[in-house]
Amino acid sequence: MNTILPSVSDKSIVMIGLMGAGKSSIGRRLADALNLEFVDTDDEIVKAAGCSIADIFEIYGEQAFRDLEERVIERLTHEPRRVIATGGGAYMHPETRERIDENAVTIWLRADLDILVERTGRRGGRPLLEQGNPREILKSLIDKRYPVYAGADIIIDTGPDGHDITVQQIVSALQEYIKAST
Ligand code: S3P
């Protein structure tokens, strides 16, 4: 039993949000704080495919990536509890979303456009942002995806604060969420 979050001991915690929101780096720190294992769905997809995400998009196309993403998440939601960071498009898939909503507590890391542009500019390997102007692409993804991400159990705003502060906010929000749902 997890002593920090005793009453959701069987549910995984799934991080959702746009590219650059910090799902992986904050998710990893959150897992440490909660004494849970961490897994990143993009890493699992790369392992399963044996090549990078950029190569999957380029060689097999986005749909092949989405199919792999769906399968990886289906598997992970049946495995023991942990913190799962998803790629930004995962929660947009209706069946995947339903599966995540049923089996996990969802945390949306919400960030504004400037933060996302700045953070995604630090690391490449995101094929969607290479199809045009990254700011415009992120803006249109915000318009399309934020109304759907809003269905998350917990919403946390991430800004220029350090990740440790965000992790503390998530832990408190999880404790509140558990209190309210028991
Ligand atoms: C994607 C986000 C990426 C990765 C892929 C597609 C998206 O993950 O899954 O490039 O559709 O938003 P991150 O959100 O971890 O960058």
Side-chain angles (χ1 to χ4, degrees):
M1 163 149 11
N2 189 295
T3 50
I4 304 167
L5 302 176
S7 46
V8 284
S9 56
D10 55 337
K11 280 197 170 186
S12 280
I13 293 163
V14 169
M15 317 293 295
I16 66 171
L18 267 189
M19 295 172 270
K23 302 178 296 286
S24 304
S25 41
I26 292 169
R28 194 169 275 114
R29 284 179 170 81
L30 177 67
D32 280 348
L34 298 177
N35 215 5
L36 292 172
E37 295 286 316
F38 171 79
V39 66
D40 184 303
T41 60
D42 283 346
D43 291 346
E44 294 299 298
I45 293 166
V46 167
K47 266 193 241 163
C51 62
S52 70
I53 289 176
D55 284 347
I56 302 171
F57 268 74
E58 193 181 324
I59 301 167
Y60 305 105
E62 178 171 350
Q63 191 51 51
F65 173 81
R66 299 296 173 200
D67 292 346
L68 271 172
E69 184 171 55
E70 185 188 351
R71 270 187 276 147
V72 160
I73 292 176
E74 180 177 15
R75 168 171 65 76
L76 291 176
T77 48
H78 290 117
E79 290 185 0
R81 180 184 196 215
R82 63 191 122 175
V83 176
I84 302 172
T86 59
Y91 197 68
M92 298 305 294
H93 184 286
E95 281 158 31
T96 297
R97 184 163 65 246
E98 203 175 304
R99 191 168 286 127
I100 291 173
D101 287 344
E102 266 171 28
N103 295 290
V105 179
T106 42
I107 297 175
W108 172 21
L109 289 182
R110 182 168 59 187
D112 69 24
L113 181 60
D114 285 337
I115 293 273
L116 297 173
V117 171
E118 200 261 312
R119 292 200 191 139
T120 52
R122 291 188 211 148
R123 170 171 84 73
R126 290 178 166 116
L128 288 185
L129 298 184
E130 283 159 19
Q131 293 169 2
N133 176 304
R135 172 175 282 272
E136 280 166 19
I137 294 169
L138 283 165
K139 169 79 181 80
S140 93
L141 289 173
I142 284 177
D143 293 345
K144 212 176 327 159
R145 293 181 177 177
Y146 275 19
V148 178
Y149 293 162
D153 296 313
I154 293 170
I155 300 173
I156 299 285
D157 283 305
T158 66
D161 290 342
H163 285 347
D164 290 339
I165 292 174
T166 306
V167 169
Q168 278 317 310
Q169 289 172 339
I170 297 173
V171 172
S172 303
L174 276 166
Q175 287 165 337
E176 284 300 312
Y177 174 81
I178 290 159
K179 221 191 290 169
S181 50
T182 48

